[in-house]
Amino acid sequence: MRVLVTGGAGYIGSHTLLELMAQGHEVCVLDNYSNATPQVLTRVRALSNGELGDVTGDVRDASTLDNLMQDFRPDAVIHFAGLKAVGESARKPLAYYDVNISGTLALLNAMSRAGCNKIVFSSSATVYGEPRYLPYDETHPTNPMSVYGRTKLMAEQILTDWAAADAPRGAVLLRYFNPVGAHASGDLGEDPRDIPNNLMPFIAQVAVGKRDALAVFGDDYDTPDGTGLRDYIHVVDLARAHVAALDYAQRHTGARPFNIGTGQNYSVFDMVKAFERASGRKIPTQVTSRRPGDVAAMLADASRANAEMGWQATHDLNDMAASTWAWQSKNPDGYGADS
């Protein structure tokens, strides 16, 4: 199958490229490298020993999309391209609506013009908001607490309406919980620019001495140790979920959401301890105020993905910590040294 991957040079996208190529799919990446580097694709090619098409461009650019659709003629699209930081979305709401909503609209319009009817969408568990019950299942009410979450939910609705408007269309909406970890080679991993928004890369940067201490955003939640509980999922498991979703999309029409998580949650201090075990290094912490939009606990019910897509997570917390340390210790400056 020919698969167009928007934002494919990013953290989750790059790991998904390897899984797609391992399954024999022909892949082309569209990325504007606003939060990535072309060096990622060089490493993907080396790890896969395969061919990978790539186009530099913005997912909002209709002419770029039309030319790509005409040249590559994808059978399906995996849509990662977007902005993804909860805190930043509160400061830059218009940028988030522009990229995440306008980009999705432009992509779907181009797909419609080209007759491409299948898409897998990178959504988020933030669409649920404050839990009414845990674990979240896909029927849990949606009430996102951040601009970022609202853009994801809006995009889901757009995709749902697009899929319903024409019988051959299918959209799989993957609601990620908290991706962490890295490729087993240590050559691909999460490389945030500036101060990390996510927990694990922040811990990893403390471990290699790039940062003095981990900022813990609140220790007064109603949880066992006062810090937020999250369902962390290994990025390779998440990447494999996209391959499973692609297979599902080929067999189904309409739109369908799936939770992608493990059904186990851990606190901030649980993650710190796991990383200390993996790295053999002490991780200093500094408690600060809560972040707007954060909830006390998140936990996935991923039974639908298992039953309908045949997918389940296989990596545990130790794998997540060990692979992150392998990546960060091998690449203390991320991709910076090669960019």
Side-chain angles (χ1 to χ4, degrees), residues 1-5 16-17 19-21 23-27 74-80 111 116-121 170-174 238-253 258 260 308-309 311:
M1 190 187 308
R2 290 187 302 278
V3 185
L4 170 62
V5 182
T16 302
L17 296 178
E19 297 299 324
L20 289 168
M21 295 167 77
Q23 295 297 318
H25 295 291
E26 185 180 347
V27 183
D75 301 301
V77 174
I78 299 180
H79 181 30
F80 292 109
M111 290 174 63
C116 180
N117 293 315
K118 303 296 183 179
I119 186 168
V120 176
F121 176 57
V172 182
L173 317 173
L174 298 185
L238 180 54
R240 290 171 180 165
H242 289 80
V243 180
L246 200 61
D247 294 339
Y248 179 92
Q250 291 304 304
R251 296 180 280 108
H252 295 83
T253 59
F258 291 92
I260 305 297
E308 299 184 19
M309 295 198 306
W311 172 89

Side-chain angles (χ1 to χ4, degrees), residues 283-323:
I283 307 297
T285 61
Q286 184 174 2
V287 176
T288 184
S289 57
R290 296 184 184 188
R291 291 185 300 191
D294 279 349
V295 300
M298 300 184 76
L299 184 65
D301 176 351
S303 56
R304 177 185 288 184
N306 179 239
E308 299 184 19
M309 295 198 306
W311 172 89
Q312 64 181 7
T314 60
H315 293 77
D316 63 16
L317 178 60
N318 291 330
D319 295 332
M320 298 175 199
S323 61

Side-chain angles (χ1 to χ4, degrees), residues 14-89:
S14 59
H15 288 81
T16 302
L17 296 178
L18 284 179
E19 297 299 324
L20 289 168
M21 295 167 77
Q23 295 297 318
H25 295 291
E26 185 180 347
V27 183
C28 183
V29 171
L30 173 68
D31 208 302
N32 66 1
Y33 302 106
S34 63
N35 194 36
T37 169
Q39 174 62 26
V40 174
L41 302 186
T42 300
R43 294 194 183 191
V44 168
R45 291 185 177 100
L47 288 167
S48 66
N49 196 30
E51 294 185 3
L52 173 66
D54 69 279
V55 172
T56 301
D58 195 293
V59 73
R60 295 167 291 180
D61 188 325
S63 61
T64 296
L65 290 169
D66 284 340
N67 290 336
L68 181 50
M69 293 287 173
Q70 183 175 5
D71 294 342
F72 183 60
R73 299 193 177 280
D75 301 301
V77 174
I78 299 180
H79 181 30
F80 292 109
L83 301 177
K84 61 177 187 177
V86 169
E88 182 185 61
S89 73

Side-chain angles (χ1 to χ4, degrees), residues 18 39 104 185 254 325 333:
L18 284 179
Q39 174 62 26
T104 300
S185 65
W325 176 238
D333 297 314

